[in-house]
CSV table of all heavy atoms in Angstrom, one decimal:
chain,number,residue,atom,x,y,z
R,1,ILE,N,-14.5,-81.1,-74.5
R,1,ILE,CA,-14.8,-80.1,-75.4
R,1,ILE,C,-15.1,-78.8,-74.8
R,1,ILE,O,-14.7,-77.7,-75.3
R,1,ILE,CB,-16.2,-80.7,-76.2
R,1,ILE,CG1,-15.8,-81.8,-77.1
R,1,ILE,CG2,-16.7,-79.5,-77.1
R,1,ILE,CD1,-16.9,-82.5,-77.8
R,2,LEU,N,-15.8,-78.8,-73.7
R,2,LEU,CA,-16.1,-77.5,-73.0
R,2,LEU,C,-14.8,-76.9,-72.4
R,2,LEU,O,-14.6,-75.6,-72.5
R,2,LEU,CB,-17.1,-77.8,-71.8
R,2,LEU,CG,-18.5,-78.1,-72.1
R,2,LEU,CD1,-19.3,-78.5,-70.9
R,2,LEU,CD2,-19.1,-76.9,-72.7
R,3,LEU,N,-13.8,-77.6,-72.0
R,3,LEU,CA,-12.6,-77.1,-71.6
R,3,LEU,C,-11.9,-76.5,-72.7
R,3,LEU,O,-11.2,-75.5,-72.6
R,3,LEU,CB,-11.7,-78.3,-70.9
R,3,LEU,CG,-12.3,-78.8,-69.5
R,3,LEU,CD1,-11.4,-79.9,-69.0
R,3,LEU,CD2,-12.1,-77.6,-68.6
R,4,ALA,N,-11.9,-77.2,-73.9
R,4,ALA,CA,-11.2,-76.6,-75.1
R,4,ALA,C,-11.8,-75.2,-75.5
R,4,ALA,O,-11.3,-74.3,-75.9
R,4,ALA,CB,-11.3,-77.6,-76.3
R,5,ALA,N,-13.2,-75.2,-75.4
R,5,ALA,CA,-13.9,-74.0,-75.6
R,5,ALA,C,-13.5,-72.8,-74.7
R,5,ALA,O,-13.4,-71.8,-75.1
R,5,ALA,CB,-15.4,-74.2,-75.6
R,6,ALA,N,-13.3,-73.3,-73.5
R,6,ALA,CA,-12.9,-72.2,-72.4
R,6,ALA,C,-11.5,-71.6,-72.8
R,6,ALA,O,-11.2,-70.5,-72.6
R,6,ALA,CB,-12.9,-72.9,-71.0
R,7,VAL,N,-10.7,-72.6,-73.2
R,7,VAL,CA,-9.3,-72.2,-73.6
R,7,VAL,C,-9.4,-71.2,-74.7
R,7,VAL,O,-8.6,-70.1,-74.9
R,7,VAL,CB,-8.3,-73.4,-73.9
R,7,VAL,CG1,-7.1,-72.8,-74.4
R,7,VAL,CG2,-8.2,-74.2,-72.6
R,8,ILE,N,-10.1,-71.6,-75.8
R,8,ILE,CA,-10.3,-70.7,-76.9
R,8,ILE,C,-10.9,-69.3,-76.5
R,8,ILE,O,-10.4,-68.3,-77.0
R,8,ILE,CB,-11.2,-71.4,-78.0
R,8,ILE,CG1,-10.4,-72.7,-78.5
R,8,ILE,CG2,-11.5,-70.6,-79.2
R,8,ILE,CD1,-11.3,-73.6,-79.4
R,9,ALA,N,-11.9,-69.5,-75.7
R,9,ALA,CA,-12.5,-68.2,-75.3
R,9,ALA,C,-11.6,-67.3,-74.6
R,9,ALA,O,-11.6,-66.0,-74.7
R,9,ALA,CB,-13.8,-68.5,-74.4
R,10,GLY,N,-10.7,-67.8,-73.7
R,10,GLY,CA,-9.8,-67.0,-73.0
R,10,GLY,C,-8.7,-66.5,-74.0
R,10,GLY,O,-8.2,-65.4,-73.8
R,11,ALA,N,-8.4,-67.2,-75.0
R,11,ALA,CA,-7.3,-66.9,-75.9
R,11,ALA,C,-7.8,-65.6,-76.7
R,11,ALA,O,-6.9,-64.8,-77.2
R,11,ALA,CB,-6.8,-68.0,-76.9
R,12,ILE,N,-9.0,-65.6,-77.0
R,12,ILE,CA,-9.5,-64.4,-77.8
R,12,ILE,C,-10.1,-63.3,-77.0
R,12,ILE,O,-10.6,-62.4,-77.4
R,12,ILE,CB,-10.7,-65.0,-78.7
R,12,ILE,CG1,-11.9,-65.5,-78.1
R,12,ILE,CG2,-10.0,-66.0,-79.7
R,12,ILE,CD1,-13.0,-65.9,-79.0
R,13,GLY,N,-9.9,-63.4,-75.7
R,13,GLY,CA,-10.2,-62.3,-74.7
R,13,GLY,C,-11.5,-62.3,-74.1
R,13,GLY,O,-11.9,-61.4,-73.5
R,14,GLU,N,-12.2,-63.4,-74.3
R,14,GLU,CA,-13.6,-63.6,-73.8
R,14,GLU,C,-13.5,-64.1,-72.4
R,14,GLU,O,-13.9,-65.4,-72.2
R,14,GLU,CB,-14.6,-64.3,-74.6
R,14,GLU,CG,-14.7,-63.9,-76.0
R,14,GLU,CD,-15.6,-62.6,-76.1
R,14,GLU,OE1,-16.2,-62.3,-75.0
R,14,GLU,OE2,-15.5,-61.8,-77.0
R,15,ILE,N,-13.0,-63.4,-71.5
R,15,ILE,CA,-12.7,-63.9,-70.1
R,15,ILE,C,-14.0,-64.3,-69.3
R,15,ILE,O,-14.1,-65.3,-68.8
R,15,ILE,CB,-12.0,-62.9,-69.2
R,15,ILE,CG1,-10.7,-62.4,-69.9
R,15,ILE,CG2,-11.6,-63.4,-67.9
R,15,ILE,CD1,-9.7,-63.7,-70.3
R,16,SER,N,-15.1,-63.6,-69.6
R,16,SER,CA,-16.3,-64.0,-68.9
R,16,SER,C,-16.9,-65.2,-69.4
R,16,SER,O,-17.4,-66.0,-68.6
R,16,SER,CB,-17.4,-62.7,-69.1
R,16,SER,OG,-17.6,-62.6,-70.6
R,17,ASP,N,-16.9,-65.5,-70.6
R,17,ASP,CA,-17.3,-66.8,-71.2
R,17,ASP,C,-16.4,-67.9,-70.6
R,17,ASP,O,-16.9,-69.0,-70.3
R,17,ASP,CB,-17.1,-66.9,-72.8
R,17,ASP,CG,-18.1,-65.9,-73.3
R,17,ASP,OD1,-19.1,-65.5,-72.7
R,17,ASP,OD2,-18.1,-65.6,-74.6
R,18,THR,N,-15.1,-67.7,-70.6
R,18,THR,CA,-14.2,-68.8,-70.0
R,18,THR,C,-14.6,-69.0,-68.5
R,18,THR,O,-14.6,-70.2,-68.1
R,18,THR,CB,-12.6,-68.2,-69.9
R,18,THR,OG1,-12.4,-68.0,-71.2
R,18,THR,CG2,-11.8,-69.3,-69.3
R,19,VAL,N,-14.9,-68.0,-67.7
R,19,VAL,CA,-15.3,-68.2,-66.3
R,19,VAL,C,-16.6,-69.0,-66.3
R,19,VAL,O,-16.6,-69.9,-65.4
R,19,VAL,CB,-15.4,-66.8,-65.6
R,19,VAL,CG1,-15.9,-67.1,-64.2
R,19,VAL,CG2,-14.0,-66.2,-65.5
R,20,VAL,N,-17.5,-68.6,-67.0
R,20,VAL,CA,-18.7,-69.3,-67.0
R,20,VAL,C,-18.7,-70.8,-67.3
R,20,VAL,O,-19.3,-71.7,-66.6
R,20,VAL,CB,-19.8,-68.6,-68.0
R,20,VAL,CG1,-21.0,-69.5,-68.2
R,20,VAL,CG2,-20.2,-67.3,-67.4
R,21,ILE,N,-17.9,-71.1,-68.4
R,21,ILE,CA,-17.6,-72.5,-68.8
R,21,ILE,C,-17.0,-73.3,-67.7
R,21,ILE,O,-17.4,-74.4,-67.4
R,21,ILE,CB,-16.9,-72.5,-70.1
R,21,ILE,CG1,-17.7,-72.0,-71.2
R,21,ILE,CG2,-16.5,-73.9,-70.4
R,21,ILE,CD1,-16.9,-71.8,-72.5
R,22,LEU,N,-16.0,-72.7,-67.1
R,22,LEU,CA,-15.3,-73.4,-66.0
R,22,LEU,C,-16.1,-73.6,-64.8
R,22,LEU,O,-16.1,-74.7,-64.2
R,22,LEU,CB,-14.0,-72.6,-65.5
R,22,LEU,CG,-12.9,-72.5,-66.6
R,22,LEU,CD1,-11.8,-71.6,-66.2
R,22,LEU,CD2,-12.3,-73.9,-67.0
R,23,ILE,N,-17.0,-72.7,-64.5
R,23,ILE,CA,-17.9,-72.9,-63.4
R,23,ILE,C,-18.9,-74.1,-63.7
R,23,ILE,O,-19.1,-74.9,-62.8
R,23,ILE,CB,-18.7,-71.6,-63.1
R,23,ILE,CG1,-17.8,-70.6,-62.6
R,23,ILE,CG2,-19.9,-71.8,-62.1
R,23,ILE,CD1,-18.5,-69.2,-62.3
R,24,ILE,N,-19.3,-74.2,-64.9
R,24,ILE,CA,-20.3,-75.2,-65.3
R,24,ILE,C,-19.6,-76.5,-65.3
R,24,ILE,O,-20.1,-77.5,-64.7
R,24,ILE,CB,-20.8,-75.0,-66.8
R,24,ILE,CG1,-21.7,-73.7,-66.8
R,24,ILE,CG2,-21.5,-76.2,-67.3
R,24,ILE,CD1,-22.1,-73.3,-68.2
R,25,VAL,N,-18.3,-76.7,-65.7
R,25,VAL,CA,-17.5,-77.8,-65.8
R,25,VAL,C,-17.3,-78.3,-64.4
R,25,VAL,O,-17.5,-79.5,-64.0
R,25,VAL,CB,-16.2,-77.7,-66.5
R,25,VAL,CG1,-15.4,-78.8,-66.2
R,25,VAL,CG2,-16.5,-77.5,-67.9
R,26,ILE,N,-16.9,-77.4,-63.4
R,26,ILE,CA,-16.6,-77.8,-62.0
R,26,ILE,C,-17.8,-78.3,-61.4
R,26,ILE,O,-17.9,-79.2,-60.6
R,26,ILE,CB,-15.9,-76.6,-61.3
R,26,ILE,CG1,-14.6,-76.4,-62.0
R,26,ILE,CG2,-15.8,-76.9,-59.9
R,26,ILE,CD1,-13.9,-75.1,-61.4
R,27,LEU,N,-18.9,-77.5,-61.5
R,27,LEU,CA,-20.2,-78.0,-61.0
R,27,LEU,C,-20.6,-79.3,-61.5
R,27,LEU,O,-21.1,-80.3,-60.6
R,27,LEU,CB,-21.3,-76.9,-61.2
R,27,LEU,CG,-21.3,-75.6,-60.4
R,27,LEU,CD1,-22.4,-74.7,-60.9
R,27,LEU,CD2,-21.6,-75.9,-59.0
R,28,ASN,N,-20.4,-79.6,-62.7
R,28,ASN,CA,-20.8,-80.9,-63.2
R,28,ASN,C,-20.0,-82.0,-62.7
R,28,ASN,O,-20.5,-83.1,-62.3
R,28,ASN,CB,-20.6,-80.8,-64.8
R,28,ASN,CG,-20.9,-82.2,-65.5
R,28,ASN,OD1,-22.2,-82.5,-65.6
R,28,ASN,ND2,-19.9,-83.0,-65.8
R,29,ALA,N,-18.6,-81.8,-62.6
R,29,ALA,CA,-17.8,-82.8,-62.0
R,29,ALA,C,-18.2,-83.0,-60.5
R,29,ALA,O,-18.1,-84.2,-59.9
R,29,ALA,CB,-16.3,-82.3,-62.1
R,30,THR,N,-18.5,-82.0,-59.7
R,30,THR,CA,-18.9,-82.1,-58.3
R,30,THR,C,-20.1,-82.8,-58.2
R,30,THR,O,-20.1,-83.8,-57.3
R,30,THR,CB,-19.1,-80.7,-57.7
R,30,THR,OG1,-17.8,-80.0,-57.8
R,30,THR,CG2,-19.4,-80.8,-56.2
R,31,ILE,N,-21.2,-82.6,-59.1
R,31,ILE,CA,-22.4,-83.3,-58.9
R,31,ILE,C,-22.1,-84.9,-59.3
R,31,ILE,O,-22.6,-85.8,-58.6
R,31,ILE,CB,-23.4,-82.8,-59.9
R,31,ILE,CG1,-23.9,-81.4,-59.4
R,31,ILE,CG2,-24.6,-83.7,-60.0
R,31,ILE,CD1,-24.7,-80.6,-60.3
R,32,GLY,N,-21.2,-85.0,-60.3
R,32,GLY,CA,-21.0,-86.5,-60.7
R,32,GLY,C,-20.2,-87.1,-59.5
R,32,GLY,O,-20.5,-88.3,-59.3
R,33,LEU,N,-19.4,-86.5,-58.9
R,33,LEU,CA,-18.6,-87.0,-57.8
R,33,LEU,C,-19.6,-87.4,-56.6
R,33,LEU,O,-19.4,-88.5,-56.1
R,33,LEU,CB,-17.6,-86.1,-57.3
R,33,LEU,CG,-16.7,-86.5,-56.0
R,33,LEU,CD1,-15.9,-87.8,-56.3
R,33,LEU,CD2,-15.8,-85.4,-55.6
R,34,ILE,N,-20.5,-86.6,-56.3
R,34,ILE,CA,-21.5,-86.9,-55.2
R,34,ILE,C,-22.3,-88.0,-55.6
R,34,ILE,O,-22.5,-89.0,-54.7
R,34,ILE,CB,-22.3,-85.6,-54.9
R,34,ILE,CG1,-21.4,-84.5,-54.4
R,34,ILE,CG2,-23.5,-85.9,-54.0
R,34,ILE,CD1,-22.1,-83.1,-54.2
R,35,GLN,N,-22.7,-88.0,-56.8
R,35,GLN,CA,-23.6,-89.3,-57.1
R,35,GLN,C,-22.9,-90.6,-57.1
R,35,GLN,O,-23.4,-91.5,-56.7
R,35,GLN,CB,-24.1,-89.0,-58.5
R,35,GLN,CG,-25.2,-87.9,-58.7
R,35,GLN,CD,-25.7,-87.6,-60.1
R,35,GLN,OE1,-24.9,-87.8,-61.0
R,35,GLN,NE2,-26.8,-87.1,-60.2
R,36,GLU,N,-21.6,-90.5,-57.6
R,36,GLU,CA,-20.8,-91.8,-57.5
R,36,GLU,C,-20.5,-92.2,-56.1
R,36,GLU,O,-20.6,-93.4,-55.7
R,36,GLU,CB,-19.5,-91.5,-58.3
R,36,GLU,CG,-18.6,-92.7,-58.4
R,36,GLU,CD,-17.3,-92.6,-59.2
R,36,GLU,OE1,-17.3,-91.5,-59.9
R,36,GLU,OE2,-16.5,-93.4,-59.2
R,37,TYR,N,-20.3,-91.2,-55.3
R,37,TYR,CA,-20.0,-91.5,-53.8
R,37,TYR,C,-21.2,-92.2,-53.1
R,37,TYR,O,-21.2,-93.1,-52.4
R,37,TYR,CB,-19.5,-90.3,-53.1
R,37,TYR,CG,-19.4,-90.4,-51.6
R,37,TYR,CD1,-18.2,-91.1,-51.2
R,37,TYR,CD2,-20.2,-90.0,-50.7
R,37,TYR,CE1,-18.0,-91.2,-49.7
R,37,TYR,CE2,-20.0,-90.2,-49.3
R,37,TYR,CZ,-18.9,-90.8,-49.0
R,37,TYR,OH,-18.6,-90.9,-47.5
R,38,ARG,N,-22.4,-91.6,-53.4
R,38,ARG,CA,-23.6,-92.1,-52.7
R,38,ARG,C,-23.9,-93.5,-53.3
R,38,ARG,O,-24.4,-94.4,-52.6
R,38,ARG,CB,-24.8,-91.1,-53.1
R,38,ARG,CG,-24.7,-89.8,-52.3
R,38,ARG,CD,-25.8,-88.9,-52.7
R,38,ARG,NE,-25.9,-87.6,-51.8
R,38,ARG,CZ,-26.7,-86.6,-52.0
R,38,ARG,NH1,-27.6,-86.7,-53.0
R,38,ARG,NH2,-26.6,-85.6,-51.1
R,39,ALA,N,-23.8,-93.8,-54.6
R,39,ALA,CA,-24.0,-95.0,-55.2
R,39,ALA,C,-23.0,-96.0,-54.5
R,39,ALA,O,-23.5,-97.2,-54.2
R,39,ALA,CB,-23.8,-94.9,-56.7
R,40,GLU,N,-21.9,-95.7,-54.3
R,40,GLU,CA,-20.9,-96.7,-53.7
R,40,GLU,C,-21.2,-96.9,-52.3
R,40,GLU,O,-21.2,-98.1,-51.9
R,40,GLU,CB,-19.4,-96.0,-53.8
R,40,GLU,CG,-18.3,-96.9,-53.5
R,40,GLU,CD,-17.0,-96.3,-53.7
R,40,GLU,OE1,-16.5,-95.6,-52.8
R,40,GLU,OE2,-16.4,-96.5,-54.8
R,41,ARG,N,-21.6,-95.9,-51.6
R,41,ARG,CA,-22.1,-96.2,-50.1
R,41,ARG,C,-23.4,-97.1,-50.2
R,41,ARG,O,-23.6,-97.9,-49.3
R,41,ARG,CB,-22.6,-94.8,-49.5
R,41,ARG,CG,-21.3,-94.0,-49.2
R,41,ARG,CD,-20.4,-94.5,-48.1
R,41,ARG,NE,-21.2,-94.5,-46.8
R,41,ARG,CZ,-21.3,-93.5,-46.0
R,41,ARG,NH1,-20.8,-92.3,-46.3
R,41,ARG,NH2,-22.1,-93.6,-44.9
R,42,ALA,N,-24.3,-96.9,-51.0
R,42,ALA,CA,-25.6,-97.7,-51.1
R,42,ALA,C,-25.1,-99.2,-51.4
R,42,ALA,O,-25.7,-100.1,-50.9
R,42,ALA,CB,-26.5,-97.2,-52.2
R,43,VAL,N,-24.2,-99.4,-52.3
R,43,VAL,CA,-23.8,-100.8,-52.6
R,43,VAL,C,-23.1,-101.4,-51.5
R,43,VAL,O,-23.4,-102.6,-51.2
R,43,VAL,CB,-22.8,-100.8,-53.9
R,43,VAL,CG1,-22.2,-102.2,-54.0
R,43,VAL,CG2,-23.6,-100.4,-55.1
R,44,ASP,N,-22.3,-100.7,-50.6
R,44,ASP,CA,-21.7,-101.2,-49.6
R,44,ASP,C,-22.8,-101.6,-48.5
R,44,ASP,O,-22.7,-102.7,-47.8
R,44,ASP,CB,-20.7,-100.2,-48.9
R,44,ASP,CG,-19.5,-99.9,-49.7
R,44,ASP,OD1,-19.2,-100.8,-50.5
R,44,ASP,OD2,-18.9,-98.9,-49.6
R,45,ALA,N,-23.7,-100.8,-48.3
R,45,ALA,CA,-24.8,-101.0,-47.4
R,45,ALA,C,-25.5,-102.3,-47.8
R,45,ALA,O,-25.9,-103.2,-47.0
R,45,ALA,CB,-25.8,-99.9,-47.2
R,46,LEU,N,-25.8,-102.4,-49.0
R,46,LEU,CA,-26.5,-103.6,-49.6
R,46,LEU,C,-25.7,-104.9,-49.4
R,46,LEU,O,-26.3,-105.9,-48.9
R,46,LEU,CB,-26.9,-103.5,-51.0
R,46,LEU,CG,-27.7,-104.5,-51.7
R,46,LEU,CD1,-28.9,-104.7,-51.1
R,46,LEU,CD2,-27.8,-104.2,-53.2
R,47,LYS,N,-24.4,-104.8,-49.5
R,47,LYS,CA,-23.5,-106.0,-49.3
R,47,LYS,C,-23.6,-106.4,-47.8
R,47,LYS,O,-23.6,-107.6,-47.4
R,47,LYS,CB,-22.1,-105.6,-49.7
R,47,LYS,CG,-21.9,-105.6,-51.1
R,47,LYS,CD,-20.4,-105.3,-51.5
R,47,LYS,CE,-20.1,-105.2,-53.0
R,47,LYS,NZ,-18.7,-104.9,-53.2
R,48,ARG,N,-23.6,-105.4,-46.9
R,48,ARG,CA,-23.6,-105.7,-45.5
R,48,ARG,C,-25.1,-106.4,-45.1
R,48,ARG,O,-25.1,-107.3,-44.3
R,48,ARG,CB,-23.5,-104.5,-44.6
R,48,ARG,CG,-22.0,-103.9,-44.7
R,48,ARG,CD,-21.8,-102.9,-43.6
R,48,ARG,NE,-22.6,-101.7,-43.8
R,48,ARG,CZ,-22.3,-100.7,-44.5
R,48,ARG,NH1,-21.0,-100.7,-45.2
R,48,ARG,NH2,-23.1,-99.6,-44.6
């Protein structure tokens, strides 16, 4: 939904809004990736 909003904002010329939304989306994805990676490492350690 946020990505769709970024596309719409860009289409109507609200470039600053598009940039802000994309930054939020990328930060969210990065945080999610880090959390998933740490959880996977913790499970591996528990298995050992």
Side-chain angles (χ1 to χ4, degrees):
I1 292 173
L2 288 173
L3 289 174
V7 172
I8 294 173
I12 63 176
E14 298 292 341
I15 304 301
S16 60
D17 289 346
T18 298
V19 172
V20 170
I21 293 173
L22 290 177
I23 290 174
I24 292 172
V25 168
I26 292 172
L27 283 175
N28 181 79
T30 302
I31 292 171
L33 176 64
I34 293 172
Q35 290 177 333
E36 185 176 347
Y37 177 74
R38 287 179 175 174
E40 196 173 79
R41 291 286 299 272
V43 170
D44 288 342
L46 184 61
K47 284 182 179 179
R48 289 193 295 270

